[in-house]
Amino acid sequence: MTTSDSGKDITLRIAQNPEADELLGRSPLAALVGMLLDQQVPMEWAFTGPYTLAERMGSDDLDAGRIAAYDPDAFTELFTAKPALHRYPGSMAQRVQQLCQYLVAEYDGDASAVWRTATTGDELLERLKALPGFGEQKARIFLALLGKQLGVRPTGWREAAGPYGEAGSHRSVADITGPESLVEVRAYKQEAKAAAKAAKAAKTAKTPKTAKAAKAAKKPGTARKK
């Protein structure tokens, strides 16, 4: 466990696995890697990944310098060994290594420096977006996780996190504090996915008619005769 600015111990319950969650709570790099892996796999699987990776590397924590210098093929094997660390173990192994190489180059391998020296939420958001594998949405979700559960709250952090920073929401891993909230977050994600799918289908249904009309307008002889 890490300790917040208020002096209280921090315990995460994202992975729903005591050992994996303990590592996430005390290791900034593990938390970053878990967030990076949270893509196209169940959230628990993604955030258990750092613990499994540390075990396979024979350590109780992750080290950015060691991962950055690891032989790429050997590092990929750590991800592909059964059970695989991700649905796409090869590409995610490459992304994790790129993330660690960036941290070594920009932050001396200290993952916590990404947020420890940020003075505003906007500055922190830009730093997170600059990390390999972190787009706009992932950066905002991780910023919300830092603020809601890890006590990292620079000025304007909620605003910078966007809707993910809202108090009482159940939109992302930032809001998971146990089994019940995990169910709520998963339900929200499924609803959002269904809504997006429906919107896409509605848009697609209109497209053929529009395209057909445009094509017909371009054909010779379709202009109205006077």
Side-chain angles (χ1 to χ4, degrees):
M1 293 182 291
T2 55
T3 302
S4 68
D5 294 337
S6 61
K8 296 181 179 179
D9 288 334
I10 297 172
T11 302
L12 298 182
R13 295 187 176 87
I14 301 174
Q16 306 293 298
N17 173 300
E19 291 82 6
D21 280 326
E22 189 274 335
L23 176 61
L24 293 172
R26 67 177 165 82
S27 171
L29 179 56
L32 269 181
V33 170
M35 189 72 247
L36 178 62
L37 296 177
D38 186 23
Q39 183 175 326
Q40 296 183 304
V41 295
M43 292 171 280
E44 309 97 299
W45 184 3
F47 281 88
T48 298
Y51 175 74
T52 305
L53 178 59
E55 273 196 321
R56 292 179 181 180
M57 296 183 76
S59 177
D60 64 352
D61 198 355
L62 298 180
D63 181 275
R66 184 182 176 196
I67 292 175
Y70 219 87
D71 176 76
D73 292 334
F75 191 66
T76 297
E77 289 179 6
L78 295 176
F79 272 69
T80 56
K82 295 184 179 180
L85 263 66
H86 196 274
R87 183 180 178 184
Y88 303 107
S91 61
M92 295 313 292
Q94 184 178 26
R95 290 187 183 183
V96 169
Q97 195 160 37
Q98 289 172 341
L99 171 64
C100 290
Q101 290 168 345
Y102 180 86
L103 291 173
V104 169
E106 299 296 329
Y107 295 98
D108 236 0
D110 180 6
S112 68
V114 175
W115 51 86
R116 192 179 63 248
T117 57
T119 58
T120 67
D122 287 339
E123 180 184 4
L124 177 51
L125 178 61
E126 291 306 311
R127 290 186 180 191
L128 291 171
K129 286 165 58 178
L131 297 175
F134 277 68
E136 180 88 23
Q137 184 181 46
K138 193 179 290 288
R140 289 185 186 276
I141 292 174
F142 191 75
L143 199 163
L145 175 62
L146 288 171
K148 290 182 174 182
Q149 298 200 48
L150 295 174
V152 179
R153 295 163 184 164
T155 303
W157 72 270
R158 283 191 187 277
E159 293 78 4
Y164 302 106
E166 294 176 1
S169 65
H170 291 91
R171 297 173 181 272
S172 70
V173 295
D175 304 306
I176 297 175
T177 56
E180 292 184 1
S181 53
L182 172 62
V183 172
E184 291 181 278
V185 170
R186 179 159 286 136
Y188 173 83
K189 284 177 171 287
Q190 290 173 341
E191 290 175 5
K193 186 176 181 180
K197 186 176 181 180
K200 183 178 180 181
K203 184 178 179 180
T204 301
K206 295 179 181 179
T207 301
K209 294 181 181 179
T210 303
K212 186 176 181 180
K215 187 176 181 181
K218 293 181 179 179
K219 286 184 177 180
T222 56
R224 180 185 292 181
K225 295 182 180 179
K226 293 184 180 180

